[in-house]
Amino acid sequence: MTIDLKKLEVWFVTGSQHLYGEETLLQVASHSQTIAAALHESAQIPVSVVFKPTVKTAEEIYAVCQEANVAKNCIGIIAWMHTFSPAKMWIGGLKILQKPLLHFHTQFNRDIPWSTIDMDFMNLNQSAHGDREFGFIMSRMRLNRKVVAGHWQDEQTLGKINGWARAAAGWNDWQGAKFARFGDNMRNVAVTEGDKVEAEIKFGYSVNTYGIGDLVKVIDTIGDKAIDDLVQKYADTYQLVSSLQKGGEQYQSLRDAAKIELGLQTFLENGQFKGFTDTFEDLYGMAQLPGIAAQRLMAKGYGFAGEGDWKTAALVRAMKVMGSGLKGGNSFMEDYTYHFNPDNKLVLGSHMLEICESIADGKPNCEIHPLGIGGKADPVRLVFNVGAGPAINASVVDMGNRFRLLVNEVVAVAPLQSLPKLPVARVLWKPYPNMHTGCAAWILAGGAHHTCFSQNLTAEDLQDFAEMAGIEYVLIGKETNLYQFKNELRWNEAYFNK
């Protein structure tokens, strides 16, 4: 599954008016083309930035917004007021705009030309108050948007646009996306449940359930040649334990795992699914729970979560799209157990099988171990550690009257010691602001035990994404304290119950 963000377009739209005359408008267009081209060519901007002619009337504004809504590859608009663009002209267009909007508060020149500045220069370069007029109307209309202030050649400014563009790509990817749910939710579990109808209304993706028998039929069509080829790829890519090598006593289990992976991928490709979820309680007809299959399919870009958790599967897919091309990866994750040493408190994250190899530190081992639940043959899985560095954990939870996106900033650390008997991929991290506050805040916010762990996205990227979706966003970060955090949750409750 290829994720090519450069195929996606962000339209660069500049606002002005006829008041200033044709010569000024020609300069506005020239400056706008220069900025749009620079953004398009910037290594920091992952999508294509497309220049659009200057809009000068309500009719032109409405037309470009209408065009953006139906343009398949357009994922958002960057709007800039080079001069003064009376904001009442923008009301009609903004009312119908269905794509994310970034308000770029910039100006063409970086410095004031002290010795030559005159009123002609001032009339041309008046973003300082033109953008305030534009900003007011969106605030008056209560519209969600991203505001980026800074010069268009500044690296920090480009970084902000990069994050927004990636969030817009993830949001666009959800529109019309399909996720397959093999079997049902893990029995009696609450947080992985949710309103799939409301999710389709709010997020644009659909989730439907397919029987394990439907999947097994596809798995059973996989031929020996395809299995041979994938088993060889396993041997070339990973360090196989001796029992899984050709001639080993569990070599057939490796072939069974390969057959499951090929069947799963075929099912997903045939149905044009962008992700899936399964559960160890629904495995009828399968030889083993998909372990390496889920890990490798995630690495190819599919969303995944265990135990029927479709919300996290969809979030993993969105975050994989958002992080495409960046160093590091994104993976399904679970807070599993704690290290409460007073001098070094840590969380050990893992899952019983399915952690994506995109976050692996080094070459994974391909191993096979018993699984005490599910009642099936020992599953094959990739085992590895995860490297140190800044990261985030993100979770979407259904609060009944709304969806909440909860994010915790963390820092991953290298394992303190070897873990020779732990048969799963794993990562250690310190939650911000500290173990006690971070964990307590997560519990207070109703955060799930399933998350997407990201090495290459930031909390701000996820905030942009939540605002595009129009859902609640809650951050647990370096400055979090529980008194203010509890108040924030109370205020949010009042806001969303209005």
Side-chain angles (χ1 to χ4, degrees):
M1 174 177 281
T2 303
I3 300 172
D4 184 3
L5 298 187
K6 211 62 180 178
K7 291 181 179 179
L8 304 176
E9 297 176 355
V10 169
W11 290 2
F12 192 89
V13 178
T14 305
S16 187
Q17 58 179 319
H18 286 293
L19 177 67
Y20 307 107
E22 191 62 26
E23 183 179 346
T24 296
L25 289 175
L26 288 173
Q27 288 180 283
V28 168
S30 175
H31 290 174
S32 299
Q33 285 178 299
T34 298
I35 295 176
L39 296 180
H40 178 75
E41 296 298 328
S42 171
Q44 285 191 254
I45 309 298
V47 301
S48 295
V49 179
V50 177
F51 166 79
K52 290 292 177 177
T54 307
V55 290
K56 307 168 292 295
T57 66
E59 292 74 19
E60 290 175 352
I61 294 166
Y62 189 92
V64 76
C65 291
Q66 190 175 52
E67 185 185 358
N69 284 342
V70 299
K72 182 178 179 181
N73 290 339
C74 177
I75 63 170
I77 286 178
I78 297 175
W80 171 47
M81 305 302 110
H82 190 315
T83 60
F84 197 83
S85 181
K88 287 171 67 176
M89 298 193 307
W90 284 86
I91 293 173
L94 292 174
K95 282 174 67 177
I96 67 164
L97 183 62
Q98 298 171 354
K99 300 289 176 76
L101 177 65
L102 182 147
H103 180 189
F104 194 15
H105 184 42
T106 190
Q107 64 183 29
F108 185 73
N109 61 296
R110 192 194 70 175
D111 302 329
I112 293 174
W114 303 104
S115 63
T116 60
I117 187 170
D118 56 17
M119 282 310 300
D120 288 338
F121 181 93
M122 297 277 274
N123 283 331
L124 176 62
N125 299 282
Q126 53 177 302
S127 304
H129 69 285
D131 276 326
R132 282 169 167 76
E133 167 76 356
F134 184 55
F136 163 74
I137 201 62
M138 286 185 286
S139 294
R140 176 66 177 79
M141 295 173 70
R142 308 316 196 256
L143 298 178
N144 286 337
R145 78 282 194 190
K146 175 80 170 182
V147 178
V148 175
H151 193 253
W152 54 277
Q153 292 175 312
D154 180 74
E155 291 297 310
Q156 184 177 9
T157 300
L158 292 172
K160 297 283 187 181
I161 297 173
N162 166 50
W164 173 84
R166 290 182 176 279
W171 176 246
N172 178 75
D173 187 75
W174 266 9
Q175 308 314 302
K178 298 193 298 181
F179 293 89
R181 197 167 180 235
F182 297 112
D184 198 3
N185 189 68
M186 180 180 171
R187 296 167 199 141
N188 296 313
V189 177
V191 75
T192 52
E193 287 280 13
D195 188 336
K196 296 190 289 293
V197 174
E198 184 61 25
E200 189 163 351
I201 294 169
K202 195 70 179 174
F203 298 136
Y205 64 73
S206 64
V207 181
N208 286 293
T209 299
Y210 298 85
I212 302 302
D214 296 328
L215 174 59
V216 170
K217 286 180 183 178
V218 178
I219 292 173
D220 286 344
T221 67
I222 304 301
D224 287 340
K225 176 62 167 61
I227 296 172
D228 291 341
D229 291 344
L230 184 53
V231 166
Q232 184 59 52
K233 184 175 290 186
Y234 289 165
D236 294 340
T237 308
Y238 312 114
Q239 183 64 49
L240 296 181
V241 294
S242 59
S243 64
L244 292 178
Q245 295 174 11
K246 193 166 187 177
E249 65 271 22
Q250 293 175 296
Y251 179 66
Q252 183 57 46
S253 293
L254 188 68
R255 294 183 61 82
D256 290 342
K259 186 175 182 178
I260 291 172
E261 179 182 337
L262 292 165
L264 255 172
Q265 183 165 338
T266 300
F267 189 101
L268 296 173
E269 288 175 348
N270 289 346
Q272 297 183 311
F273 296 103
K274 292 182 176 178
F276 69 102
T277 178
D278 60 17
T279 175
F280 60 88
E281 290 180 323
D282 288 306
L283 293 174
Y284 185 79
M286 296 183 68
Q288 56 183 264
L289 179 64
I292 191 172
Q295 292 176 296
R296 284 175 47 83
L297 288 170
M298 265 192 287
K300 292 178 179 179
Y302 288 98
F304 172 81
E307 289 101 51
D309 187 357
W310 52 270
K311 296 188 298 299
T312 302
L315 182 63
V316 169
R317 166 62 186 184
M319 291 174 68
K320 282 189 171 291
V321 172
M322 292 167 65
S324 177
L326 296 176
K327 183 180 179 181
N330 293 271
S331 176
F332 171 55
M333 187 59 65
E334 181 173 271
D335 295 57
Y336 227 105
T337 194
Y338 293 141
H339 183 64
F340 269 131
N341 185 304
D343 298 323
N344 192 21
K345 301 181 181 73
L346 299 167
V347 178
L348 176 61
S350 184
H351 203 253
M352 55 190 181
L353 293 175
E354 312 98 339
I355 302 300
C356 179
E357 63 178 302
S358 67
I359 64 172
D361 183 21
K363 186 176 183 178
N365 289 338
C366 184
E367 303 180 8
I368 183 169
H369 300 277
L371 187 67
I373 53 178
K376 291 292 180 179
D378 300 347
V380 177
R381 80 290 302 273
L382 301 176
V383 177
F384 51 83
N385 292 320
V386 176
I392 57 172
N393 273 308
S395 179
V396 172
V397 291
D398 188 340
M399 296 299 294
N401 65 333
R402 65 190 185 278
F403 290 101
R404 169 181 287 167
L405 177 57
L406 180 60
V407 175
N408 186 193
E409 294 176 313
V410 305
V411 57
V413 300
L416 308 181
Q417 300 181 36
S418 63
L419 300 160
K421 294 187 177 182
L422 187 61
V424 290
R426 58 275 180 149
V427 55
L428 285 161
W429 69 76
K430 293 176 180 288
Y432 283 114
N434 56 64
M435 186 80 161
H436 297 292
T437 300
C439 293
W442 190 272
I443 298 295
L444 285 166
H449 54 285
H450 288 169
T451 63
C452 180
F453 176 87
S454 176
Q455 297 171 317
N456 54 26
L457 298 175
T458 69
E460 185 174 355
D461 299 337
L462 271 293
Q463 182 181 7
D464 290 344
F465 185 82
E467 290 177 352
M468 291 172 189
I471 64 172
E472 180 186 10
Y473 171 80
V474 177
L475 171 65
I476 304 168
K478 296 176 183 178
E479 306 301 323
T480 298
N481 73 75
L482 289 181
Y483 174 77
Q484 291 295 339
F485 189 79
K486 288 179 182 179
N487 279 337
E488 180 183 348
L489 295 179
R490 294 184 185 108
W491 297 332
N492 288 0
E493 195 67 38
Y495 174 84
F496 285 97
N497 278 322
K498 64 184 180 182

